[in-house]
Amino acid sequence: MQFNTRYSTLSPKLYHHQLPSPLKGAKAGHFNAALAEQLEWSDKDKAQWVEICSGQKTFEEFEPLAMVYAGHQFGQWAGQLGDGRGLLIAQILNKQGQTIDLHLKGAGSTPYSRMGDGRAVLRSVVREYLAGHALNSLGVASSNAVGFTSSEQGVQREKLELGAMMLRTSDCHIRLGHFEWINQYQGDLLPEFTQKCIEWHYPECLDTEQPILAFATQVIQRTAVMISHWQLVGFAHGVMNTDNLNITGSTLDFGPYGFMERFRPNWINNHSDYQGRYTYQQQPSIGHWNLWQWLNNLVPLCPANYDKEQWKDDLAQCLEHYEPTFLEHYKMGLSQKMGLPSFHKDSFDCAMIFLRILQSEQLDYTLSFIRLQNHEYEAIKDDCLDRRAFEGFLAQYESIREHQDIITLDAEMEKANPHYILRNHMAQKAIELAERNDFSEVERLFTLLSQPYLKQPELETTEDLGPLPSDVPEVMVSCSS
Ligand code: AMP
Ligand code: MG
């Protein structure tokens, strides 16, 4: 492991050094050997993964720390937050020389825990572990994890559950909320902090005339791309607060997230989000809202030779890149999923008609695209009450595809339409077994979700392929974690 201890070169006002506090009776959960390999873990570290992923062993080269940040939660200013139950335990280089954070979640209380116990429960750890892996394998920028451990220690949530820890990896744990904290409480740190963010994460911006504007534009564009990918795979993050979005546009902090099954754009997995702020269909506009909040924190960075009003306008102008970037990536990806040429003037409308059918017929998002890809048009139609609407769609669809290079379009579809996503009931089954110390289902799902675009008949079960029948009650996802 090669270390790059860069976060602790920042002002100590931005973090608190402390060690993890291990749980009683820590035991192996699951280890992502391929990721450890990517991160160049030595054989000795690999052999000690349980100790590392349970906070019993830390590294001499890095003094663990909890970061402070702030945030807007559910649209309201929440003031100071921070790593209340996680510690940055190392920053290391991967095979490509990129710096990756190792963050141990559930490592005990910190000065930023507020009323919380500093712990994470096995249920939420399994959910985050599998979801990070699923998104990475789907090609969506996201945190991941080297491994997780369970324990014998009870942790109180709605009921008593088992405590667990997960060693999360991310290219960045600097959240939009970091800027909010600094601007609110330690404004003098803002110039240097921003400079470091640019050097570490967007060095190409240093060569531009206005690095801060170039940086802002990059953050905005990367966030737009990430959210377009969420929409395409049907992922609903669930808690898009400004403290849960980072500055590199990679998915972070999974709470009551979910993958869309039956297509319901106003679907939400977070049952405590009564106003439906973070529904699937709201994600693009919430991303915009969060970035607008974030940009406000760059206002004090107006260069000396710059007119203040002009600076504000130029910052606001950066946000004008958000929507076109989102639409470009979303439309391109949707055409690919549909097997339609992205340059054809009717492709997007035709895709929207398909989505409206999925919505009104309550068809499964993932399975319907797979059926389209397999030309199983009759199977989709058989599931429709309004068969004529589907026939109308199909006529338009086939007329666009006529005279096109179908072989290439179909090959593109195979790269864009997963056979497997992490359905709530799949995660739930893995959790129930894990709680009885059986991690075989975690292992099976881990393998299945490693190659979501590859049909794996030997490994799949019927339940992996579609929603549970409508008379089976839905898995209720608790927002406590
Ligand atoms: P989240 O919405 O899960 O990202 O959490 C929001 C804030 O609450 C973050 O600052 C977390 O560190 C903190 N937090 C969440 N759960 C706990 C817990 N059990 N103990 C301490 N802090 C927590
Ligand atoms: Mg969070």
Side-chain angles (χ1 to χ4, degrees):
M1 239 187 257
Q2 266 201 63
F3 291 80
N4 178 9
T5 60
R6 64 191 187 186
Y7 201 80
S8 50
T9 63
L10 297 172
S11 162
K13 291 178 181 151
L14 292 168
Y15 49 83
H16 174 78
H17 279 301
Q18 71 177 75
L19 289 170
S21 75
L23 293 161
K24 227 172 32 201
K27 52 183 133 189
H30 197 265
F31 181 55
N32 185 341
L35 185 56
E37 192 62 38
Q38 260 290 310
L39 298 171
E40 310 213 284
W41 277 32
S42 65
D43 289 343
K44 187 167 165 237
D45 289 328
K46 284 183 203 157
Q48 292 190 317
W49 78 266
V50 176
E51 287 76 14
I52 298 171
C53 296
S54 60
Q56 298 174 72
K57 176 184 152 51
T58 52
F59 308 102
E60 280 165 20
E61 295 87 342
F62 196 97
E63 206 183 339
L65 58 91
M67 297 176 172
V68 66
Y69 48 85
H72 276 82
Q73 300 187 318
F74 295 91
Q76 307 291 326
W77 172 242
Q80 176 170 307
L81 305 164
D83 291 332
R85 52 160 165 181
L87 297 173
L88 184 66
I89 65 158
Q91 294 189 290
I92 61 173
L93 299 181
N94 67 9
K95 275 204 168 128
Q96 289 77 41
Q98 189 190 13
T99 301
I100 301 292
D101 293 351
L102 297 184
H103 175 102
L104 189 64
K105 189 160 182 173
S109 59
T110 75
Y112 318 117
S113 297
R114 298 176 295 157
M115 307 294 279
D117 57 10
R119 296 303 186 188
V121 295
L122 184 58
R123 166 177 53 83
S124 74
V125 160
V126 169
R127 279 176 52 82
E128 178 159 352
Y129 185 77
L130 290 174
H133 177 58
L135 284 183
N136 272 282
S137 313
L138 285 164
V140 181
S142 172
S143 65
N144 206 342
V146 185
F148 74 85
T149 52
S150 177
S151 78
E152 288 165 4
Q153 192 167 321
V155 170
Q156 190 65 45
R157 293 293 179 260
E158 284 98 341
K159 56 178 188 170
L160 195 64
E161 300 193 41
L162 284 177
M165 286 192 206
M166 183 182 87
L167 189 59
R168 175 163 81 188
T169 57
S170 174
D171 64 352
C172 180
H173 278 86
I174 297 175
R175 300 144 194 271
L176 303 185
H178 272 77
F179 285 79
E180 295 182 285
W181 187 86
I182 294 172
N183 192 30
Q184 184 74 24
Y185 304 113
Q186 287 290 338
D188 53 323
L189 300 180
L190 192 60
E192 201 212 328
F193 184 77
T194 308
Q195 177 69 19
K196 288 291 170 196
C197 287
I198 300 174
E199 281 173 22
W200 292 342
H201 296 290
Y202 296 95
E204 66 282 6
C205 295
L206 294 170
D207 302 328
T208 62
E209 212 175 305
Q210 290 300 337
I212 295 170
L213 296 177
F215 161 63
T217 305
Q218 288 281 316
V219 172
I220 287 162
Q221 290 186 319
R222 286 233 215 144
T223 306
V225 172
M226 171 184 75
I227 297 176
S228 75
H229 290 165
W230 289 357
Q231 302 306 101
L232 289 167
V233 299
F235 177 77
H237 180 283
V239 211
M240 284 178 72
N241 295 329
T242 56
D243 53 302
N244 289 338
L245 293 190
N246 69 12
I247 58 163
T248 58
S250 59
T251 314
L252 196 65
D253 275 17
F254 298 79
Y257 72 84
F259 284 87
M260 177 88 74
E261 297 192 62
R262 295 178 196 281
F263 189 62
R264 292 177 290 185
N266 61 358
W267 172 68
I268 189 148
N269 212 28
N270 186 348
H271 297 282
S272 58
D273 182 6
Y274 305 112
Q275 293 171 341
R277 182 178 171 85
Y278 296 143
T279 59
Y280 169 81
Q281 67 188 353
Q282 293 264 60
Q283 295 189 123
S285 56
I286 292 291
H288 187 275
W289 189 93
N290 284 342
L291 290 163
W292 175 252
Q293 289 301 328
W294 176 69
L295 280 176
N296 281 322
N297 300 290
L298 306 186
V299 171
L301 296 172
C302 179
N305 55 353
Y306 225 92
D307 176 69
K308 280 214 168 60
E309 289 309 307
Q310 185 64 44
W311 178 248
K312 281 191 203 165
D313 285 352
D314 288 353
L315 280 174
Q317 202 57 38
C318 298
L319 201 52
E320 296 295 317
H321 292 279
Y322 182 81
E323 193 177 316
T325 306
F326 172 81
L327 283 176
E328 180 198 331
H329 286 263
Y330 181 68
K331 285 184 170 178
M332 186 74 85
L334 195 58
S335 299
Q336 198 186 346
K337 282 177 79 66
M338 294 291 297
L340 293 172
S342 57
F343 55 80
H344 194 289
K345 66 175 178 36
D346 295 330
S347 288
F348 190 64
D349 284 349
C350 182
M352 285 295 130
I353 293 171
F354 184 63
L355 288 181
R356 269 197 290 277
I357 292 175
L358 300 193
Q359 181 180 5
S360 59
E361 300 287 349
Q362 291 287 286
L363 300 183
D364 187 75
Y365 181 74
T366 302
L367 180 60
S368 300
F369 275 101
I370 286 292
R371 285 176 163 171
L372 196 66
Q373 174 180 309
N374 293 341
H375 302 189
E376 291 167 357
Y377 308 135
E378 286 300 315
I380 308 178
K381 191 162 82 177
D382 285 347
D383 281 346
C384 290
L385 289 173
D386 187 350
R387 297 167 68 91
R388 287 186 53 191
F390 183 76
E391 283 161 5
F393 154 76
L394 192 58
Q396 188 192 13
Y397 181 68
E398 292 193 312
S399 82
I400 301 177
R401 279 170 50 102
E402 220 177 23
H403 313 303
Q404 305 291 341
D405 176 0
I406 296 297
I407 293 178
T408 306
L409 289 175
D410 283 359
E412 285 296 304
M413 285 179 99
E414 286 180 22
K415 291 187 243 158
N417 291 314
H419 294 274
Y420 314 108
I421 49 155
L422 183 64
R423 299 172 186 276
N424 271 339
H425 61 262
M426 294 161 70
Q428 191 57 32
K429 189 170 167 204
I431 291 166
E432 282 164 19
L433 288 172
E435 286 174 341
R436 284 182 261 139
N437 211 22
D438 173 354
F439 297 95
S440 57
E441 188 61 8
V442 171
E443 168 64 23
R444 188 187 73 85
L445 292 182
F446 185 88
T447 311
L448 189 76
L449 296 168
S450 296
Q451 290 182 290
Y453 299 106
L454 181 74
K455 185 81 173 151
Q456 299 163 66
E458 260 97 88
L459 201 59
E460 71 180 33
T461 68
T462 316
E463 290 77 33
D464 300 332
L465 302 178
L468 294 176
S470 10
D471 54 348
V472 177
E474 255 186 83
V475 175
M476 293 296 272
V477 177
S478 162
C479 66
S480 70
S481 57

